[in-house]
Amino acid sequence: MIPRVLSGIQPSGNLHIGNYLGALGNWVKIQHDYESIFCIVDLHAITVYQKPDELRTKIREIAGIFLAAGIDPKHSRIVVQSTVPAHAELAWLLTCVTPMGWLERMTQFKAKAAAQESIGDGLFQYPVLMAADILLYQANIVPVGEDQMQHIELARDIAQRFNSLYGETFVMPATRLPAVGARIMGLDDPTAKMSKSASGTGHAVALLDPPDRIRRTIMRATTDSGSGVDFETMGPGVANLLAIFQSFSGWSDDQMRTHFTGVRYGDLKKQVAEMTISQLEPMQQRYREITADPSHVDRVLHEGAQAVLPTANATVQLVKEHMGIYTRGR
Ligand code: AMP
Ligand code: TRP
């Protein structure tokens, strides 16, 4: 059997180069080696308040970006999570085998909870829903950025616990990180992860940002008190700029050292900006072409959901049977 890949991105805020280098760009590269499913996880997005009209728009925008980046809809399935009800159904079934203590340890929950005045229960259950996304399709590989590793570990723990309570049911998924770019940092603050929800200009380069804006954001990036690149002593800002360049270019460590040692920060930033623009511009052009016909994205999403429904429903059926939940004819 061909191994299966599954991953997801939340339709909250603007996709940025961290999402691309940590996840989406990697999916495009590996998609044809696997049976691939890529989800737009709208049920995850609403764990914090989203304006309904913006959410609706974002879901389509992200589907357009997936296609523009090179996800091949003839081969890979692009699925809006909420259009396959089995995601939510399995999440409940898994909630019942997940100890609260496991969820209390999640660092992303702790960070998000600390930033909110009042926390919805959905935010707490978030990793169980993510486990359901993965286990629903018996995915073997989950390509993500570094910040999701703990959630995938949890999905494995839940799968193991379920299997030991109710008998062999779930395949164990494995995390796949990109070699470079698994954790892109904020350009304004290289000690914090680049994130969709961070406010302010200068923090992130969004995938649909026009070239002059990309140039401006990167030229203003925080570096350190040095003036030229020194691979032994560089601070996190310079390391982050180099990671962005290396990840977009695919250069080896040796090539990076030879080319950038001693290069002044201003020049480094110029080269990072031009590399980023040269990678994003063709994608932006394709995005405009793809979204010129709004029904195209809807068609792809409909076909994606139809294609995965049988697998999703079969897993829920199996889980119910193993748990003793009522199923017709048994
Ligand atoms: P999210 O933005 O939380 O929906 O994340 C979608 C995907 O992008 C996940 O696989 C994340 O691990 C990845 N990702 C998000 N932010 C970054 C970042 N700053 N660097 C690398 N990968 C990231
Ligand atoms: N929680 C992930 C994130 O914010 C998104 C996600 C939801 C996901 N379901 C998933 C990633 C399943 C991988 C597999 O980045």
Side-chain angles (χ1 to χ4, degrees), residues 258-317:
T258 311
H259 182 82
F260 282 110
T261 297
V263 167
R264 302 188 71 79
Y265 290 167
D267 192 21
L268 165 69
K269 288 179 184 176
K270 255 187 222 144
Q271 295 193 45
V272 174
E274 294 317 311
M275 171 58 68
T276 304
I277 291 166
S278 75
Q279 297 288 310
L280 296 188
E281 260 193 323
M283 188 194 310
Q284 296 176 352
Q285 179 57 32
R286 281 195 298 275
Y287 178 80
R288 285 189 288 271
E289 289 161 15
I290 286 161
T291 52
D293 170 12
S295 67
H296 178 59
V297 161
D298 281 331
R299 222 162 29 240
V300 167
L301 295 177
H302 179 71
E303 283 165 12
Q306 292 305 310
V308 302
L309 268 172
T311 308
N313 290 339
T315 304
V316 168
Q317 179 72 14

Side-chain angles (χ1 to χ4, degrees), residues 20 48 166 198 306:
Y20 183 79
V48 297
Y166 295 110
Q306 292 305 310

Side-chain angles (χ1 to χ4, degrees), residues 9-10 18-19 22-23 144-145 147-148 181-184 193-194 196:
I9 288 187
Q10 300 185 67
N19 296 127
V144 286
D147 61 342
Q148 295 304 314
R183 188 175 179 82
I184 299 295
K193 185 189 70 165
M194 186 178 283
K196 292 201 211 101

Side-chain angles (χ1 to χ4, degrees), residues 42-206:
D42 51 352
L43 300 177
H44 277 106
I46 57 168
T47 56
V48 297
Y49 177 77
Q50 305 291 328
K51 291 201 180 98
D53 281 338
E54 279 176 23
L55 180 58
R56 246 187 301 275
T57 307
K58 279 290 161 212
I59 292 168
R60 284 208 173 73
E61 179 186 294
I62 289 185
I65 292 177
F66 280 13
L67 293 170
I71 298 293
D72 171 9
K74 291 198 181 63
H75 172 80
S76 307
R77 304 305 176 185
I78 302 178
V79 179
V80 178
Q81 185 186 36
S82 63
T83 64
V84 179
H87 286 256
E89 196 174 3
L90 182 60
W92 173 255
L93 300 171
L94 296 180
T95 292
C96 298
V97 303
T98 307
M100 282 174 69
W102 291 5
L103 299 176
E104 279 160 0
R105 279 201 294 276
M106 295 293 111
T107 54
Q108 204 162 76
F109 168 71
K110 286 193 268 189
K112 283 189 185 175
Q116 308 275 325
E117 259 176 45
S118 109
I119 312 152
D121 186 36
L123 200 59
F124 191 59
Q125 301 294 333
Y126 177 112
V128 184
L129 178 58
M130 178 163 162
D133 298 340
I134 298 167
L135 302 177
L136 188 58
Y137 300 105
Q138 307 282 14
N140 306 91
I141 292 166
V142 188
V144 286
E146 201 179 273
D147 61 342
Q148 295 304 314
M149 281 173 77
Q150 194 187 30
H151 287 158
I152 298 169
E153 267 314 305
L154 182 86
R156 292 168 58 88
D157 289 343
I158 293 174
Q160 220 142 35
R161 189 172 159 90
F162 191 98
N163 287 352
S164 72
L165 283 171
Y166 295 110
E168 208 52 32
T169 309
F170 293 120
V171 164
M172 283 302 144
T175 306
R176 170 83 64 89
L177 295 182
V180 189
R183 188 175 179 82
I184 299 295
M185 309 306 281
L187 291 164
D188 56 344
D189 174 8
T191 63
K193 185 189 70 165
M194 186 178 283
S195 115
K196 292 201 211 101
S197 52
S199 55
T201 54
H203 172 73
V205 170

